[in-house]
Amino acid sequence: MSLAKPVMRGLLGKRLRFHLPIAFALSLVAAIGFKYGVTEPRKRAYADFYKQYDAVKEFTAMKEAGVFESVRPSGE
C-alpha cells in the first residue's frame, strides 16, 4: 500500500493554463465594475455640482464671513 507519487513535471504550466484566464477575466470584471460603479457616478456628481456652482458668490460669502485675512469684509 504505497502512495502514488505526485506528478510534478509540467505542474506549473498546467496550473497556469487553468488559473491565468480566470484571473484575467476576474480582473477585467473588477475594472469594468469599478469604472461604472464608482468613476462614472462620481463624474456625474461633479458635473451636476459645477452646473449650479457660482465661484464668485462663494467668494463673496466667504469674504463677508471673514475667512480671508487679505480681503476685508464690505462692512468694515
Side-chain angles (χ1 to χ4, degrees), residues 1-36:
M1 286 185 65
S2 66
L3 294 174
K5 286 188 172 183
V7 178
M8 300 301 281
R9 186 176 301 267
L11 184 63
L12 177 64
K14 182 180 172 187
R15 302 282 291 187
L16 281 177
R17 274 193 299 275
F18 178 76
H19 287 102
L20 200 59
I22 293 171
F24 183 74
L26 287 177
S27 65
L28 191 63
V29 166
I32 290 170
F34 187 81
K35 177 177 173 43
Y36 291 110

Side-chain angles (χ1 to χ4, degrees), residues 32-69:
I32 290 170
F34 187 81
K35 177 177 173 43
Y36 291 110
V38 176
T39 308
E40 293 299 323
R42 187 178 291 171
K43 285 188 337 191
R44 252 190 324 256
Y46 273 102
D48 292 341
F49 176 77
Y50 282 109
K51 278 180 189 173
Q52 49 196 324
Y53 180 71
D54 186 13
V56 175
K57 181 179 161 187
E58 285 292 319
F59 172 72
T60 55
M62 286 189 283
K63 181 175 80 169
E64 297 303 321
V67 173
F68 304 115
E69 294 179 8

